[in-house]
Amino acid sequence: MKMNSFSKKELFLHIFSILSYQFNENFATEFLSLYEKMTFKFSKNTGKLKHIYANNILQANYRASLGTFSLTIDAAKRVLNKIKFPTFRVQVQSDVSEFIADGKSVFAKHVKTVDPNLRLGNEVFIVDEQDNLLAVGKLSLPPNYIPYFQFGSAVNVRQGINSKKAKKS
């Protein structure tokens, strides 16, 4: 079934259920708090949801192959302060904050704390020691492995707060 044939209520429930599964119901509620101001872009070929915008600013991309959303910095800025620490977060050392904010990957040896409920491949918010948002990305190591690694990436950063993509929006 093509998503662009859903009613506005059906689309809301569909997106809410995906976000609730991927994150939790509180996150889904916060993310969709601007639902009336959100617009949606659908694939011309398949009719599936591709992008979510709020006030004409990209908030999330839907990855149909995985059935999950990848979030943008703008969505993280809007939602992060409403989510209790350490939920969905990877906290890094202050001395690497600028590199992460520029969109560089998070190495395991620089991680201070990580939400223990995360799983490999989860969307995460990368924050500094004061819980300030630095970037969004995808967890590339299980949380319980991170303290034991001195080499390698713990999070593949998709977008930093200082990256070119973030500045355009």
Side-chain angles (χ1 to χ4, degrees):
M1 174 185 266
K2 292 186 175 192
M3 283 192 216
N4 59 2
S5 64
F6 283 3
S7 71
K8 194 161 183 159
K9 183 178 180 181
E10 290 171 325
L11 183 60
F12 175 88
L13 293 172
H14 181 73
I15 294 169
F16 185 85
S17 66
I18 293 169
L19 290 170
S20 295
Y21 169 76
Q22 185 177 352
F23 297 98
N24 62 34
E25 286 187 15
N26 292 335
F27 181 92
T29 301
E30 290 299 332
F31 182 87
L32 292 170
S33 65
L34 294 178
Y35 187 72
E36 293 302 319
K37 296 178 182 179
M38 288 183 167
T39 55
F40 308 93
K41 184 174 181 183
F42 299 89
S43 168
K44 291 177 184 170
N45 295 329
T46 64
K48 292 180 181 178
L49 180 64
K50 289 181 75 168
H51 310 291
I52 298 176
Y53 295 86
N55 298 319
N56 295 320
I57 298 171
L58 182 64
Q59 301 293 300
N61 297 302
Y62 183 64
R63 299 177 295 201
S65 60
L66 299 174
T68 59
F69 289 99
S70 59
L71 304 175
T72 65
I73 282 291
D74 293 299
K77 286 176 184 175
R78 198 168 54 77
V79 175
L80 186 66
N81 64 348
K82 297 175 179 130
I83 300 169
K84 189 176 177 182
F85 183 85
T87 308
F88 309 124
R89 290 171 176 81
V90 173
Q91 186 181 51
V92 297
Q93 298 168 348
S94 294
D95 59 342
V96 297
S97 294
E98 280 302 312
F99 296 105
I100 307 305
D102 289 340
K104 306 293 186 214
S105 291
V106 175
F107 290 102
K109 67 181 180 179
H110 298 127
V111 173
K112 297 262 313 173
T113 60
V114 61
D115 177 355
N117 297 315
L118 291 171
R119 293 189 175 144
L120 180 70
N122 281 160
E123 285 289 308
V124 295
F125 305 118
I126 300 99
V127 297
D128 64 15
E129 293 182 52
Q130 289 74 43
D131 199 29
N132 298 309
L133 180 66
L134 299 173
V136 292
K138 188 175 179 181
L139 196 63
S140 57
L141 279 176
N144 57 327
Y145 283 28
I146 293 173
Y148 302 105
F149 278 71
Q150 288 301 304
F151 301 98
S153 177
V155 180
N156 292 328
V157 171
R158 183 175 34 269
Q159 186 180 23
I161 59 171
N162 296 336
S163 66
K164 291 176 183 147
K165 288 181 185 178
K167 288 183 180 179
K168 288 181 184 176
S169 50

